[in-house]
Amino acid sequence: MIEETIISKAIVESYLKDVLDSIESDVIIAGAGPSGLCAGYYLAKHKYKTVLFERGLKLGGGMPGGGIMFNKIVVQDEGKATLDEFGITYHQYEPGYFVADSLETTACLTEKALKAGLKIFNLVSVEDVMIREGCVTGVVINWSAVEMARLHIDPISFKSKVVIDATGHPSEIVHIVEKKSGGKLLTPSGRIEGEKSMWAEVAERLSLENTKEVYPNLYVCGMAANAVFGGPRMGPIFGGMLLSGKQVAELVMKKV
Ligand code: 48H
């Protein structure tokens, strides 16, 4: 015999336990695209208590869509070791160009990150941050459904030592901090420099150079790093995203 109310209680109690366990952590990541998942995997693997909030229902950000919905991604030589780390299958198309299935890549990143201990909450949007004495000290979240329905319902906050903006092109968390700090970002102009047009080679290099702290205790990685520091976009080549996620984890581990 199956009792429906036990199913309900099991889900509600288990979820609320996860929420309560996550209210204070070492690192909060906004965005479960390739860079955010990768960062979360490396941080969790090294025993940093890490919580990731993803606005969408599904994980992977822009990766499952590959290039123009052809579900393949390209990774260059530099990114190959990361594919190996996650057990992702790939083949060499031409010297230096490796092709992987974007669905397998998303699944492997997700599985490894979750198994390493990354706590992921999907359907939750980061809508603000907390700032104390010029340092980011956590995030303010709400249900994505509340955000989409534009309901006037107050959010709640989660505290962490560091926040990572892995929200991709819109670099939403840095935009919030730029607006509320009055342009005191650690960029050349103190403001968001803005994403430039496609140039894959330069973009891949800069996505690593631009992966760094952008405001005290706020780091930026992945596509958001180039959007914030003025790098170009790169199209469906994903090595830079994976390496940027790894690099931001290493930078955060040095700080925390
Ligand atoms: C919670 C949020 C919020 C929020 C957004 O776009 P992504 O895949 O990000 P990256 O940087 O890991 O990867 C970028 C890559 O997918 C890409 O777009 C490339 C390589 N483009 C090149 C080109 O030329 O176009 O994922 C970001 C994730 C998404 O899942 C969003 O739903 C989520 O962040 N998100 N989650 N709170 N405020 N904002």
Side-chain angles (χ1 to χ4, degrees):
M1 182 192 150
I2 293 176
E3 174 55 58
E4 288 86 352
T5 56
I6 296 179
I7 300 173
S8 307
K9 281 188 200 169
I11 288 174
V12 172
E13 275 189 27
S14 307
Y15 188 84
L16 289 183
K17 181 181 177 307
D18 281 356
V19 172
L20 289 170
D21 283 351
S22 303
I23 281 186
E24 286 195 40
S25 62
D26 293 319
V27 186
I28 290 175
I29 302 172
S35 68
L37 286 172
C38 216
Y41 163 71
Y42 284 104
L43 286 162
K45 185 180 161 189
H46 288 92
K47 305 293 172 221
Y48 285 75
K49 187 175 176 189
T50 309
V51 178
L52 188 155
F53 295 110
E54 164 55 47
R55 170 180 285 137
L57 173 59
K58 308 242 172 63
L59 309 182
M63 195 158 60
I68 60 158
M69 298 196 283
F70 291 11
N71 57 12
K72 303 287 172 206
I73 56 164
V74 171
V75 168
Q76 68 282 40
D77 269 328
E78 293 81 354
K80 202 157 70 74
T82 316
L83 294 180
D84 290 330
E85 166 88 16
F86 285 95
I88 297 160
T89 321
Y90 56 85
H91 70 271
Q92 183 166 279
Y93 178 71
E94 276 200 22
Y97 296 79
F98 301 90
V99 181
D101 183 288
S102 68
L103 300 178
E104 185 192 341
T105 308
T106 303
C108 289
L109 291 178
T110 304
E111 198 229 354
K112 283 270 218 170
L114 287 168
K115 291 267 167 68
L118 175 66
K119 179 52 62 191
I120 302 181
F121 294 98
N122 59 337
L123 296 167
V124 174
S125 296
V126 175
E127 65 164 56
D128 201 351
V129 294
M130 296 192 287
I131 297 181
R132 298 285 181 277
E133 289 158 13
C135 294
V136 169
T137 58
V139 301
V140 176
I141 61 102
N142 214 328
W143 304 114
S144 302
V146 165
E147 178 187 63
M148 289 160 77
R150 304 174 73 86
L151 299 174
H152 185 170
I153 297 177
D154 276 354
I156 59 170
S157 42
F158 284 64
K159 203 170 173 184
S160 63
K161 295 173 185 154
V162 161
V163 172
I164 299 175
D165 184 339
T167 63
H169 293 273
S171 49
E172 288 193 20
I173 315 308
V174 182
H175 269 89
I176 293 164
V177 173
E178 180 197 40
K179 194 168 143 202
K180 299 201 173 178
S181 74
K184 293 210 176 83
L185 301 179
L186 303 170
T187 56
S189 67
R191 302 212 158 258
I192 289 169
E193 306 294 338
E195 181 185 306
K196 304 291 185 296
S197 294
M198 194 180 302
W199 188 356
E201 186 176 343
V202 174
E204 286 291 276
R205 178 169 47 77
L206 287 184
S207 63
L208 293 186
E209 282 178 28
N210 293 334
T211 293
K212 54 191 169 188
E213 198 168 21
V214 59
Y215 188 83
N217 296 348
L218 174 65
Y219 287 72
V220 63
C221 71
M223 196 61 233
N226 275 4
V228 166
F229 284 96
R233 65 192 300 182
M234 68 291 290
I237 180 160
F238 277 77
M241 298 297 101
L242 302 176
L243 292 169
S244 167
K246 185 176 183 198
Q247 181 173 302
V248 81
E250 287 164 356
L251 292 173
V252 166
M253 287 190 278
K254 273 190 205 144
K255 170 143 182 167
V256 176

